Amino acid sequence: MRIAVLRETAPGETRVALTPETAKKFIALGAQVAVESGAGTAASITDAAYAEAGAEVGPAQKVVQGADILLAVQPPEPAALAGASPGALVAAVFDPFGRRDRVDAYAAAGFEALAMEFMPRITRAQSMDVLSSQSNLSGYKAVIAAADLYGRAFPMMMTAAGTVQAARVFVMGVGVAGLQAIATARRLGAQVSATDVRSATKEQIQSLGAKPVFVEKVAGIEGEGAGGYATEMSPEYQKAQAELVSGHIAKQDIVITTALIPGRAAPRLITGAQIATMKPGSVIFDLAVAQGDGTGGNVEGSRADQVVEKHGVKIMGYANTPATLPADASALYARNLYNFLSAFWDKEQGKPVLDAEIGDAVRLTRGGQVVSERLKS
Ligand code: NAD
């Protein structure tokens, strides 16, 4: 079983899908591991560190030759995998809705594409869940980046020259990223409030010492759909939420938005008119900027990797937030992949044999066909 890892080629991608730690573990399972020279450089992992872990390090063409499994963060175009075993497994974040063309190309090339973002949100798959591991880091980084851009301090400070007020931070969308954003802002000493469409998050917000801000007594209030994900809300709910948010964000210094709905453009949570009510010097970090519809992500007018200033309010967001923390993001991502493949490792066959619950959820292509139910509907 030959496991190959190529240098990521997508612009701005700094992560790598294998670390020396996971290379060692795969080798201990009996696999042969090959890494393209320079694959870990952007994540501060040297070729020597991979070699020391027992991996073969070399040029892409040699690495891919005879590979049975390819690990990647963002998958290469299938043409880059010429020479890999027929039907090789490719585990990566495929962006199947955004890059359907690439899924079709993987099917045509005969590879078995495994979309890590389709990992079911079930207890036994928690350690394999790349969305959680990467969102956790993103939630942390959103607060740090917003704090850096903010022209004031986060904690309350009582000094001889007078008191500095604590920053007010509002987190919109309390999934994995939102929870970490709340925790990080609290650690920095801010006064934190948060909202979500899923009422189950109320208690989680409170348990982190933040204040829940929720729409009450409106039709279509429960926004929880399959797998714990949010669904699109009723027009009544959206109107009530907009009113509630308008009143609240006018008093905030920092707003972090994290709301996503799988397979859809990110919901618009903050309009230009609402931004105009905020104080000059306030900062909005839009974690959903890359999942937007072209006019912004959760925030109207946000632009990936740019600071947009409107009415004195700074709006920012990264196209790829985990890539701004490449060493930790790679370490966690690589462990997710190892936990996934090793859980299904069949010792006799010397390869992973996926079960139906997880295999059918993540598998996009097999035997020349697109097989994912989520892509068929
Ligand atoms: P996500 O990234 O899909 O979305 C972020 C948050 O935005 C969610 O909490 C969502 O409810 C919220 N949101 C969506 N539309 C909104 C709107 N209009 N206004 C306000 N908020 C809005 O979320 P996620 O971090 O992937 O978490 C999704 C679910 O999966 C949660 O229930 C989480 O607890 C669960 N989860 C389970 C596991 C597991 O058991 N293995 C692991 C991770 C997450």
Side-chain angles (χ1 to χ4, degrees):
M1 183 65 18
R2 181 172 171 86
I3 300 179
V5 177
L6 295 176
R7 253 162 90 128
E8 296 285 322
T9 53
E13 188 52 80
T14 57
R15 294 169 291 174
V16 59
L18 181 93
T19 57
E21 174 197 315
T22 61
K24 252 189 221 164
K25 288 181 170 174
F26 280 121
I27 292 165
L29 286 179
Q32 195 189 12
V33 174
V35 183
E36 182 182 353
S37 178
T41 309
S44 310
I45 304 172
T46 60
D47 286 353
Y50 284 119
E52 210 173 298
E56 170 192 325
V57 180
Q61 267 180 336
K62 230 178 133 210
V63 162
V64 161
Q65 213 54 43
D68 305 291
I69 300 178
L70 184 103
L71 306 180
V73 179
Q74 299 191 48
E77 296 307 320
L81 305 183
S85 301
L89 301 179
V90 181
V93 175
F94 270 86
D95 185 16
F97 298 115
R99 287 294 316 274
R100 178 59 204 254
D101 59 316
R102 188 168 55 196
V103 177
D104 293 337
Y106 265 81
F111 295 123
E112 192 168 325
L114 305 175
M116 289 301 99
E117 64 267 62
F118 279 5
M119 188 63 68
R121 257 60 204 278
I122 52 175
T123 306
R124 83 186 162 103
Q126 265 176 348
S127 67
M128 313 169 190
D129 186 353
V130 302
L131 288 186
S132 290
S133 72
Q134 306 301 293
S135 293
N136 202 357
L137 290 168
S138 297
Y140 158 81
K141 187 60 185 263
V143 174
I144 299 300
D148 188 37
L149 208 57
Y150 184 47
R152 298 167 185 266
F154 262 40
M156 182 175 144
M157 293 184 205
M158 306 234 271
T159 78
T163 301
V164 168
Q165 293 302 327
R168 286 168 191 266
V169 175
F170 181 38
V171 177
M172 302 183 73
V174 188
V176 179
L179 286 171
Q180 185 56 257
I182 295 172
T184 304
R186 289 270 302 149
R187 277 186 219 123
L188 289 176
Q191 261 184 41
V192 186
S193 57
T195 192
D196 199 291
V197 291
R198 295 181 297 112
S199 54
T201 59
K202 241 187 225 178
E203 263 180 40
Q204 298 168 345
I205 294 166
Q206 278 162 334
S207 73
L208 288 171
K211 186 176 152 234
V213 176
F214 273 73
V215 172
E216 310 274 0
K217 301 192 182 82
V218 171
I221 194 157
E222 190 40 77
E224 181 142 350
Y229 284 115
T231 50
E232 221 160 13
M233 305 304 289
S234 69
E236 292 91 334
Y237 179 95
Q238 286 182 15
K239 187 166 167 275
Q241 186 190 38
E243 281 165 14
L244 180 80
V245 165
S246 292
H248 192 67
I249 67 171
K251 298 178 225 137
Q252 303 304 308
D253 300 305
I254 310 282
V255 180
I256 312 277
T257 66
T258 78
L260 294 175
I261 299 170
R264 304 257 177 108
R268 182 58 43 82
L269 301 183
I270 302 183
T271 62
Q274 288 169 324
I275 295 168
T277 68
M278 293 182 73
K279 290 173 281 185
S282 306
V283 177
I284 307 177
F285 192 102
D286 185 354
L287 260 176
V289 68
Q291 280 82 35
D293 60 359
T295 66
N298 291 150
V299 183
E300 187 176 337
S302 63
R303 293 275 172 275
D305 298 327
Q306 288 179 35
V307 177
V308 177
E309 196 157 338
K310 275 195 198 164
H311 314 288
V313 177
K314 294 190 177 92
I315 305 157
M316 72 173 298
Y318 297 130
N320 184 345
T321 314
T324 66
L325 296 165
D328 281 333
S330 300
L332 297 183
Y333 184 90
R335 279 186 210 141
N336 289 144
L337 288 189
Y338 174 78
N339 293 336
F340 166 52
L341 294 172
S342 63
F344 295 108
W345 207 267
D346 183 304
K347 285 206 181 98
E348 272 164 30
Q349 297 186 57
K351 64 175 192 183
V353 179
L354 307 184
D355 70 7
E357 187 178 26
I358 291 180
D360 292 354
V362 300
R363 191 179 296 111
L364 302 178
T365 62
R366 186 185 226 177
Q369 305 290 323
V370 174
V371 294
S372 168
E373 286 303 321
R374 288 175 73 176
L375 292 182
K376 286 182 185 163
S377 54

